[in-house]
Amino acid sequence: MRDAGFYAQKSGSPTGFMMVVLLHAAVLSALILIKGPAFIRAEHPPLVVHMIEVEPEPDVIPPPDPQPLRQQQSVIDHVETVTDTSQTGPIVDTTPHPVVPPTPPQPRIELARVDLPPPVRRDAEVDPAYRGFLQPPYPPSEQRAERGGDVRVRVTIGTNGWVIAVQMLSATSDAFWRVTERQALTRWRFRPATVDGRPVESTKVMNLHFQIQDAWGSDHMRAGGRGVAPLS
């Protein structure tokens, strides 16, 4: 069965086939002839480098040498005295000299000697209100043995009249020394020593004598103190 229609015409007519080919060629030619967008390439101007000359730095002028100035000053200051040797006679020095006035003698100052009176010192004394407390109690051990004794001490007296220290110089026994030391520190009172009326600390030597006294005969003995003599 033979093809009909358009396909039958194509296969049967060479002219139609050529027209189709020419039509396609015309369309392609028209597409080629259509002017497309123009692409412009940007061109940059060539880089030009200019050489700038740098001015050289000015030379540093060194300070003037002070040595020639000093030499010039010394030459100016130094003036030689020209002496005319053609004249006869002694050479007279005409250089001016400063005139120094004579120094007047200084008056002699003599200090008057003033003899100050010696300070008035007054030794410490037993306060009369406490004189009855000088004799210590008799030691029981020495009383039972019916022994007497002596004690010699040096006491340090403060500015308030109280005894602040006791030093034993001699004692018949330790019992006599102990009661004397205790009595001096607790019961003795003095009028303090003074220098120009001002109380000062001082020392004083005291002698104490312990003796058994017979008051009611040989069968009755009692203790008592005798010969309490303060020594400075």
Side-chain angles (χ1 to χ4, degrees):
M1 186 173 112
R2 297 181 62 184
D3 293 334
F6 178 78
Y7 293 101
Q9 293 178 2
K10 280 181 63 179
S11 58
S13 179
T15 304
F17 177 77
M18 291 298 296
M19 291 181 66
V20 172
V21 173
L22 291 176
L23 181 60
H24 283 82
V27 172
L28 290 175
S29 298
L31 291 176
I32 294 172
L33 293 177
I34 294 174
K35 185 178 182 180
F39 296 93
I40 301 175
R41 180 180 181 183
E43 296 183 359
H44 297 280
L47 180 63
V48 179
V49 179
H50 298 278
M51 301 298 293
I52 301 175
E53 296 183 0
V54 180
E55 296 182 1
E57 296 183 359
D59 296 335
V60 179
I61 302 176
D65 187 7
Q67 185 67 23
L69 296 179
R70 289 197 296 268
Q71 293 179 356
Q72 181 179 1
Q73 184 67 24
S74 62
V75 171
I76 296 175
D77 292 342
H78 181 68
V79 179
E80 296 182 357
T81 302
V82 179
T83 304
D84 188 4
T85 57
S86 61
Q87 298 179 0
T88 59
I91 299 175
V92 179
D93 186 8
T94 59
T95 304
H97 296 281
V99 178
V100 180
T103 303
Q106 298 295 330
R108 183 177 181 182
I109 301 175
E110 295 183 359
L111 299 177
R113 181 177 179 181
V114 178
D115 295 331
L116 298 177
V120 180
R121 182 179 180 85
R122 187 174 180 180
D123 294 335
E125 299 176 354
V126 177
D127 192 336
Y130 293 87
R131 187 174 293 275
F133 299 100
L134 289 177
Q135 185 66 38
Y138 217 99
S141 59
E142 302 298 333
Q143 184 178 359
R144 287 193 300 267
E146 299 183 0
R147 286 193 300 263
D150 297 284
V151 178
R152 182 180 176 89
V153 294
R154 177 183 289 110
V155 294
T156 302
I157 304 168
T159 56
N160 59 354
W162 290 60
V163 176
I164 58 178
V166 183
Q167 179 185 3
M168 183 185 68
L169 301 179
S170 63
T172 303
S173 66
D174 185 69
F176 287 129
W177 150 244
R178 292 302 177 188
V179 295
T180 301
E181 180 186 25
R182 187 181 309 108
Q183 186 78 3
L185 292 174
T186 58
R187 307 298 297 274
W188 288 4
R189 298 292 182 273
F190 295 84
R191 291 177 177 174
T194 58
V195 175
D196 292 338
R198 181 174 57 87
V200 294
E201 187 177 296
S202 63
T203 59
K204 196 174 188 66
V205 176
M206 304 285 290
N207 286 340
L208 288 88
H209 178 67
F210 293 84
Q211 181 180 357
I212 299 294
Q213 293 182 350
D214 186 357
W216 298 281
S218 57
D219 295 335
H220 298 83
M221 310 293 293
R222 71 180 180 88
R226 289 183 179 178
V228 179
L231 302 178
S232 59

